[in-house]
Each structure stands twice: as structure tokens, then as C-alpha cells.
Amino acid sequence: MNELRCKVLIIGGGPGGYVAAIRAGQLGLDTILVEADRLGGTCLNVGCIPSKALIHAAGAAHALREPRALNAIGLELGPPRLDFAKTVGWKDSIVARLTGGVGVLLKKAKVRTLLGMATIIDGKTAIVRSDTGESRIAAEHLVIASGSEPTPLPALKFGGDVLSSTDALALTEVPETLAVVGAGYIGMELGQAFAKLGVKVTIVEALPKILPLYDSELTQPVARRLADLEVETLVGVRALSFNKGSLRVEADGKERAIPADKVLVAVGRRPRTAGFGLETLDLAMSGPFVRIDDQCATSMRNVWAIGDVTGEPMLAHRAMAQGEMVAELVAGEKRAFDNKAIPAICFTDPEIVAVGLSPEAARAARSEIRVGHFPFRANGRAMTLQDDEGFVRVVARADNHVVLGIHAVGHGVSELSSAFSLALEMGARLEDIALTIHAHPTMSEAFNEAALAALSHALHI
Ligand code: FAD
Ligand code: NAD
């Protein structure tokens, strides 16, 4: 067996683990990163990136399939033909570029990367098994970044025509009909994408509303777009079983069958905590997740945990920020995970962005708040982009106007999220946003106007 030593051993090469490794390497820490499958983890290989590629391709296909918008600007086209194999090839080429890039960055930071399954022996030792042999690694610090995996439903086990998000993103042919169980992030993003690719999609959600994470004002435009796409959306409905192209569902004691060639089960993800010796550490847990403090320290000295394995929100940018922080802590810097807000984006059509408190949560936290809205139907740039659905909403304290939350729903609003996060992190007041000159014509002017609306003097409405 190969005997290796290092300062920091990181288990898992997803956004949490690979960023921790790059930063540790940059700081001169002798670092080993172990990845069982593919560098980039869920996000780059079977999550954020391939799903956004598919969403983009589906949007382009839909624009040609339903050319009303193109006709309106004078473009007349013949019937489109989708070569889905080419779409998949293009999506895979982006994944390959990005994961290859991670390998290069790790090398540049002088990180030793081992491809193989790590098994934890104790808080300072792990054994890595790969095709080329076994290594025992002794480390001063252990970082657990093992991520998460799709949660199966007991009555709808993954396999055959019952797909996880990973399976759905690996399809090489577009099915005729698709039932999606769960109207959360994955169900809504991929459900809409497949509908745009011409699939007859039915969405089944157990709770009484779609995207329960977001308030109804933000999800209404998405619900309207689902109706336009002829997606049948069933809320308050439980999926029971799937057999021979038929999904049985139940609501209020009544059962019905939904025809479906494939079923995508997207009812959440669970942390990867089993099968690699984590239990031997007997760490304090928070439900199924590894419990961490505000420095990502676990209950064992010099054992850290980052990313999805530590719980919600299970987002790549949270994992990356935690990874960067842990590397700096190990290098002796003073750090804590004290961010005011972690932006959340749902890449539906239209997109939803939420940073900080919703009006409801802000009202619950303090009695007096101000809320300003600005609709994109009054925004010139949105009109020129032929999509003026949605709005920007700003929530602030009534007494001193400090901004508590910023939200938007609309075409391409994901790109406004950095301005929203920055405003919150900098402790902006309504006046700071209102007095900042926002370039014209941009959709970001709606941010400026929503702040003005909260101050009761919006200019363009
Ligand atoms: P992961 O990315 O899961 O990586 C963990 C890695 O650890 C894996 O590569 C695994 O192979 C490895 N590993 C586990 N155990 C071992 C072991 N014992 N030895 C060696 N290696 C091991 N988030 C966003 O912010 N934006 C999005 O748009 C977005 N879209 C998504 C779309 C989909 C379809 C899915 C499924 C997820 C999406 N996410 C998105 C969530 C995002 O992918 C995760 O939050 C992120 O990948 C978590 O990073 P992580 O490093 O904690 O874990
Ligand atoms: P989710 O938690 O977002 O949504 C799961 C949905 O399934 C919920 O609405 C829930 O009520 C519903 N549900 C649960 N059990 C059900 C049942 N038996 N029948 C019908 N509905 C049921 O989970 P997800 O969509 O699987 O995504 C997993 C995680 O991946 C997310 O929490 C998020 O952290 C991450 N993700 C993020 C993005 C993004 O940032 N844009 C995109 C995709 C995934």
C-alpha cells in the first residue's frame, strides 16, 4: 500500500471540495483531493451545468417550434428539426470543458488529486482504493465534501423508466410523455425544458403549490408559463406507483392514472453519509446531515464538513464559499460563514431570484416594513427582448430603510442576482439603490425603480 501524508485531505471533488482544494493549494497547504467518480461532482457533471445547457437548448427549440415571438419581429421560418443526439453532444462538451478545467486549476494550485473511493479510518486517516491500487493517507485536517444524491421514493424506485435527475440528463432520446414527481427546483426546471422540447409533461406535487420554497407572487408567472406550454400541473397530489406507461396518483381519496413513457422523480436530495466510514467518526448530526458550526467545523477537532452533506440550502455557490473559507481557516486566517444572504435562483421560464427575506418573513421578523415593486411591463429593455413578464421586488425596514430582501421573476433575471446580493451584503438602504445610476436600457433599471417605489416615488410607472 502507498503511504501518503498531507496537511489537508479533502474527500469529494464537487464544487465544495475542489474549491477548498484550490484555495488550500494557493495558500501553500500540502493538499490531497480524493474523488470517487468525476471531478466537478454533481454540479458540473449531472447538475447545474448540464441542466442549464438542456434548458438553453430547449428554449431555442421552443422559440422555433412556437415562432409567435419570431414572427412578431418579422422572422418567418420553416418547420424545425431537433437532432437530440447533437444537443446531448453539445451539453457533454461543455461538461468536459469545465471538468477538464477543474483538473488544470488543481494542478496549477499543486494539489495532488487521487481518483478513487476514500474510506475514512479515523479523523486523520483514510484509505483510497482505485484501479491502480491502494493508498493510505495521513492528514492533519480532514474535509468531508461528499455531497448528496437523489432521494428515491419507496414506491417509485429509480431504474427502467423511473428516472432520477441524473438519468433524465443522460437521456439520448426525447420521450413522448413524461410525468414529473415533485415541483421543486429540479422538477420545474427540467419539466419545463422537456415540455419545450415537445414532450407532453405532467407535474405532480404533493404540497398545495408549485415551488413551495418561493412565495406565490414569485411563482405565479411560472405557473402561467406552464399553462402556455400545456404542462398539466397537479398540486396536492401523491404519486402511488408506476406500471407499464401509467403513473397512478391520488388526491382527496380519488385515484387517477397519468400516461407517461418516463417518470422523473425529483423529490429532493439526501446527503451522502454512508458507505465510506463516516460513521466511525461518530460526528454530531443535524438530522441526516453532518452538523457544522459557523466555520464548518464538525464536532471533531480538525474535521470539517462543507456543501450538500451539511444541509440546506444545497447550492453549489454555498458549497464553494464554505470550501474557500475552510481552506483559509486551516491556513490560520480568521474567517466565519457570516454572509447576510445566499442567493437562490430557479432557472425556470421565467427565472426566479430570491436574496434575503420575503415580505412575509420580514413582516414576521419586524412589524414595519416597506415593499416596492416594479413590473417589467414598464421596462423598455424587457419589451425589446420580447419578454416583459415579471417584476423586481425590494423589501426594507420602514424605520431606517435598510434592505432586507430582494426578489425578481422574469426573463434572464438570474444575472441581476449579483447586484441584489451585493446590496444586501453591503447593508444598502433603499436610498443607496435609488440613487445609484442604473444603465439604460437594462432590466436592472427595474431594481432601481423598485427601490424608488418603496420610497413612494417610482418614476416610470
Ligand atoms: P457534490 O457536487 O455532490 O460532490 C460531491 C463529490 O464527492 C462527488 O463527486 C462524489 O463522487 C464525491 N464523493 C462522495 N463520497 C466520496 C468518497 N468516499 N470518496 C471520494 N469521493 C467521494 N446548485 C446551484 O447552486 N445552482 C444550480 O443551478 C443547480 N442546479 C442543479 C441541478 C441539478 C439537476 C442537480 C441535481 C443539482 C443542482 N444544484 C444546483 C445543486 C448542486 O449541484 C449542489 O449543491 C452541489 O453540487 C453541491 O456540491 P458538493 O461539493 O457539496 O457535492
Ligand atoms: P426540492 O426540495 O427543490 O423539491 C422537491 C419537491 O418535491 C418539493 O416541492 C416537495 O414538496 C415535492 N415532493 C416531496 N415528496 C413528494 C411526493 N411523494 N410526491 C410529490 N411531490 C413530492 O428538490 P429537488 O427538486 O429534487 O432538488 C434537490 C436540490 O437540488 C434542491 O433542494 C436544490 O438545493 C438543488 N437544486 C438547485 C437548483 C438551482 O439552484 N437552480 C436546481 C436544481 C436543484
Side-chain angles (χ1 to χ4, degrees), residues 180-190 203 205 210-212 266 346 348:
V180 176
V181 180
Y185 277 102
I186 294 176
M188 294 298 293
E189 289 185 1
L190 294 187
I203 296 180
E205 166 60 48
I210 59 164
L211 290 171
C346 194
T348 37

Side-chain angles (χ1 to χ4, degrees), residues 10-18 34-49 51-52 114 116-119 145-150 165-166 169 186 189-190 269 272 275-276 306-309 313-320 343 345 347:
I10 299 164
I11 296 182
Y18 86 70
V34 187
E35 169 52 51
D37 191 3
R38 284 176 290 171
L39 284 177
T42 304
C43 177
L44 262 53
N45 293 289
V46 293
C48 327
I49 296 300
S51 63
K52 270 74 232 180
L114 300 186
M117 184 74 181
T119 301
S146 50
S148 65
E149 59 197 9
S165 57
T166 303
L169 288 167
I186 294 176
E189 289 185 1
L190 294 187
R269 292 178 63 82
R272 228 183 257 116
F276 63 101
I306 57 176
D308 284 11
V309 74
M314 289 197 246
L315 298 173
H317 40 281
R318 169 177 173 266
M320 290 192 247
I345 301 174
F347 291 84

Side-chain angles (χ1 to χ4, degrees), residues 211-404:
L211 290 171
L213 201 70
Y214 296 101
D215 60 80
S216 300
E217 197 177 23
L218 288 171
T219 58
Q220 268 162 16
V222 179
R224 279 197 289 276
R225 197 60 56 98
L226 283 177
D228 286 351
L229 290 166
E230 294 177 11
V231 172
E232 190 178 3
T233 310
L234 308 172
V235 292
V237 172
R238 270 185 329 123
L240 299 177
S241 61
F242 178 69
N243 193 17
K244 295 194 187 117
S246 172
L247 178 72
R248 262 187 343 115
V249 299
E250 182 267 334
D252 301 327
K254 285 191 208 116
E255 289 189 18
R256 78 174 257 206
I258 295 167
D261 298 328
K262 306 269 182 200
V263 181
L264 164 59
V265 176
V267 295
R269 292 178 63 82
R270 61 183 183 191
R272 228 183 257 116
T273 50
F276 63 101
L278 184 65
E279 57 288 348
T280 59
L281 301 183
D282 202 19
L283 297 177
M285 303 296 281
S286 185
F289 302 103
V290 176
R291 185 189 297 171
I292 50 167
D293 66 10
D294 67 350
Q295 294 185 315
C296 290
T298 68
S299 54
M300 185 178 270
R301 201 173 137 76
N302 291 352
V303 176
W304 314 80
I306 57 176
D308 284 11
V309 74
T310 64
E312 297 285 355
M314 289 197 246
L315 298 173
H317 40 281
R318 169 177 173 266
M320 290 192 247
Q322 289 178 324
E324 189 183 356
M325 176 190 73
V326 164
E328 292 177 1
L329 281 164
V330 172
E333 292 185 16
K334 276 212 169 93
R335 287 291 312 271
F337 201 76
D338 55 0
N339 294 64
K340 285 222 170 56
I342 299 172
I345 301 174
C346 194
F347 291 84
T348 37
D349 176 10
E351 293 174 346
I352 301 176
V353 176
V355 190
L357 299 182
S358 67
E360 200 186 357
R363 246 176 235 116
R366 22 191 95 249
S367 51
E368 295 284 309
I369 61 165
R370 279 172 178 246
V371 182
H373 285 82
F374 192 81
F376 287 119
R377 77 186 135 69
N379 175 274
R381 181 63 178 147
M383 288 178 210
T384 63
L385 291 170
Q386 291 187 286
D387 201 339
D388 59 3
E389 175 80 88
F391 56 86
V392 177
R393 184 178 71 193
V394 178
V395 181
R397 287 172 57 148
D399 53 358
N400 60 8
H401 299 178
V402 168
V403 175
L404 301 171

Side-chain angles (χ1 to χ4, degrees), residues 104-154:
V104 173
L105 293 172
L106 288 166
K107 250 192 205 138
K108 193 175 144 206
K110 300 199 169 51
V111 173
R112 283 180 281 169
T113 303
L114 300 186
L115 289 181
M117 184 74 181
T119 301
I120 295 171
I121 305 299
D122 58 42
K124 294 201 179 311
T125 325
I127 289 184
V128 177
R129 293 188 177 85
S130 69
D131 296 345
T132 51
E134 277 189 11
S135 306
R136 178 191 292 271
I137 307 173
E140 286 174 39
H141 292 263
L142 175 63
V143 182
I144 299 157
S146 50
S148 65
E149 59 197 9
T151 307
L153 280 177

